[in-house]
Amino acid sequence: MLVLGIETSCDETGIALFDGEHGILAEALYSQVEMHAQYGGVVPELASRDHIKRVATLVNQVLQEAGKNFKDLQGIAYTCGPGLAGALMVGAGFGRALAFSLEIPAIGVHHMEGHLLAPLLGPANETTQSKIEMPFVALLVSGGHTQLIQANRIGDYELMGESIDDAAGEAFDKSAKMLGLKYPGGPEIARLAIKGDSKRFRFPRPMTDRPGLDFSFSGLKTHTRNAIQTLAESNRELPNGLPSGEQQTLANFHYLSEQDRADIACAFEDAVADTLYIKCRRAMEQSGLTQLVMAGGVSANVKLRKTLENKLNAEVFYAPNHLCTDNGAMIAFAGHERLVAGQFEDLHIEVHPRWDMTTLQALKPTQFK
Ligand code: KG4
Ligand code: ZN
């Protein structure tokens, strides 16, 4: 089945064509990062308007690239939550209307299910795909979510633990901002941390000293702020310290050397990777399962990948980098699995800005490969 995937939940317009036999045929991604950078965060109204500008052009582009036309499409999958309501409406409205005009089925996809299934995407990733078997433990680490899930089968997900405050990606982004790095902060911190001395600072591993699988990352952000403030004060030798307040916090990095910043980035990254590892180890023990599938933007982090691969007593899987962050292929694939199982939406267009993944409809065991 040839499925068009449309992702517009936040600040990236992701479009892809996925075919059950041949895998991803074409992909296109437009990032709005630069447009939002001047405002210091994603502006929802601007995001929606920009998706409107890009979506049709990118759909034409992937069709052309794959040598297909609208008549070849057999299904359309669009992200219908969670995410920014207006941004979701663009993809959902476009996708649903296009499916109606072509008289083909459409399916609304949960963005995090898209991430979760991305490591199974074939056939480019065929070897990995054929090794992954449900049930497995999934570590979902993105800008909006940090969750440990037991994935029993497609659509049957049990929440094992989640962040009680900031998501891991959010902590990367906020700490990066304090270090004077641009958004998205994860790759920037990773780049800087390579030059860092991992022994100079040790940040805590939040919530690892008590039982359970929940996370808390907001304390690490505070730790980053304090480390920067302390160094800034000592570098400037101010008797009464630097003035406080958010503006000053964001200016403090100017008083740090490149090595100071790299050492802090390194301590922060180590703490996130180690904390996630400790919780994953517990999740594997608790579930008795042997495979960990990690997904979402933060799963592109090399230190996290290495920590899990080297220390965890489990097989660790993740998608290629461009399928870890938001993209249209993961939506096309998740939608494909549901469409071939006979699921589809009726005619009305619905989005779910907040949406619990454990409430999804599960596919029957016989409904997927
Ligand atoms: O999954 P994603 O593209 O979007 C959401 O659904 O949120 O994740 C984006 C998040 C951002 O917070 C970004 O800083 C983080 O993923 N990220 C990384 C890396 N690449 C992206 N974090 C750490 N290391 C990376 N290499
Ligand atoms: Zn995402």
Side-chain angles (χ1 to χ4, degrees):
M1 185 182 222
L2 181 64
V3 176
L4 173 72
I6 304 173
E7 156 62 34
T8 63
S9 67
C10 190
D11 58 349
E12 253 131 16
T13 318
I15 307 290
L17 278 178
F18 178 84
D19 177 76
E21 237 175 276
H22 302 103
I24 304 169
L25 300 187
E27 292 177 82
L29 187 78
Y30 181 84
S31 170
Q32 305 173 356
V33 162
E34 272 170 33
M35 178 181 75
H36 297 292
Q38 54 186 306
Y39 304 98
V42 177
V43 184
E45 179 60 24
L46 294 183
S48 322
R49 289 181 194 201
D50 208 65
H51 286 307
I52 293 172
K53 269 199 229 160
R54 316 281 166 196
V55 69
T57 314
L58 294 180
V59 168
N60 280 319
Q61 189 181 314
V62 294
L63 283 170
Q64 209 171 37
E65 217 177 290
K68 303 282 181 193
N69 61 52
F70 284 106
K71 290 267 175 277
D72 296 319
L73 294 177
Q74 293 166 303
I76 296 183
Y78 50 84
T79 307
C80 66
L84 302 170
L88 289 166
M89 276 307 287
V90 177
F94 184 90
R96 191 70 203 81
L98 183 59
F100 178 72
S101 71
L102 296 171
E103 297 179 12
I104 56 175
I107 186 91
V109 171
H110 192 291
H111 180 81
M112 296 312 292
E113 179 173 66
H115 276 303
L116 187 149
L117 299 179
L120 282 82
L121 248 166
N125 207 11
E126 222 162 40
T127 34
T128 298
Q129 184 198 23
S130 57
K131 280 192 201 152
I132 301 176
E133 263 182 62
M134 291 192 182
F136 56 69
V137 173
L139 172 67
L140 301 183
V141 271
S142 71
H145 294 79
T146 299
Q147 293 181 325
L148 273 163
I149 301 262
Q150 179 165 326
N152 296 320
R153 53 180 202 259
I154 293 181
D156 179 356
Y157 307 121
E158 287 170 55
L159 183 66
M160 305 176 81
E162 64 183 335
S163 178
I164 58 167
D165 43 52
D166 291 354
E170 195 179 354
F172 265 102
D173 296 336
K174 289 176 176 170
S175 292
K177 198 169 172 184
M178 288 186 265
L179 286 166
L181 302 169
K182 64 179 197 310
Y183 177 89
E188 297 292 312
I189 290 206
R191 214 168 293 136
L192 187 59
I194 292 171
K195 298 174 232 149
D197 171 3
S198 62
K199 299 203 177 64
R200 182 160 171 213
F201 302 107
R202 187 182 158 85
F203 282 19
R205 276 54 175 155
M207 289 181 74
T208 52
D209 54 352
R210 52 184 123 150
L213 295 173
D214 285 341
F215 306 89
S216 166
F217 288 109
S218 72
L220 284 183
K221 179 186 67 192
T222 312
H223 232 80
T224 307
R225 185 175 60 228
N226 293 345
I228 296 172
Q229 170 98 13
T230 308
L231 280 180
E233 281 172 13
S234 69
N235 288 355
R236 291 196 73 200
E237 292 168 4
L238 292 177
N240 300 320
L242 290 162
S244 55
E246 207 202 341
Q247 282 317 313
Q248 185 57 50
T249 297
L250 293 178
N252 280 343
F253 76 88
H254 287 297
Y255 304 114
L256 269 55
S257 69
E258 185 67 6
Q259 192 58 50
D260 288 341
R261 292 165 68 231
D263 294 345
I264 292 172
C266 187
F268 172 85
E269 198 186 35
D270 280 349
V272 175
D274 214 30
T275 304
L276 290 170
Y277 153 67
I278 293 167
K279 297 286 176 166
C280 285
R281 189 183 63 200
R282 268 185 213 171
M284 301 315 297
E285 282 164 8
Q286 190 176 306
S287 64
L289 297 172
T290 56
Q291 294 190 329
L292 179 88
V293 174
M294 93 167 140
V298 183
S299 69
N301 187 273
V302 175
K303 197 177 277 177
L304 175 60
R305 288 176 172 183
K306 285 199 177 142
T307 305
L308 293 177
E309 283 171 335
N310 295 338
K311 292 171 120 183
L312 201 66
N313 186 19
E315 283 183 283
V316 178
F317 300 96
Y318 43 81
N321 281 358
H322 79 286
L323 297 178
C324 291
T325 45
D326 291 351
N327 65 85
M330 68 183 194
I331 302 304
F333 176 62
H336 174 272
E337 299 303 285
R338 289 184 174 276
L339 287 165
V340 293
Q343 285 185 17
F344 56 89
E345 305 292 333
D346 61 22
L347 277 182
H348 77 284
I349 298 163
E350 201 175 276
V351 297
H352 314 275
R354 288 172 169 275
W355 193 7
D356 181 352
M357 213 170 109
T358 61
T359 63
L360 293 181
Q361 195 181 337
L363 300 194
K364 293 192 189 86
T366 50
Q367 284 180 309
F368 65 96
K369 317 177 254 39

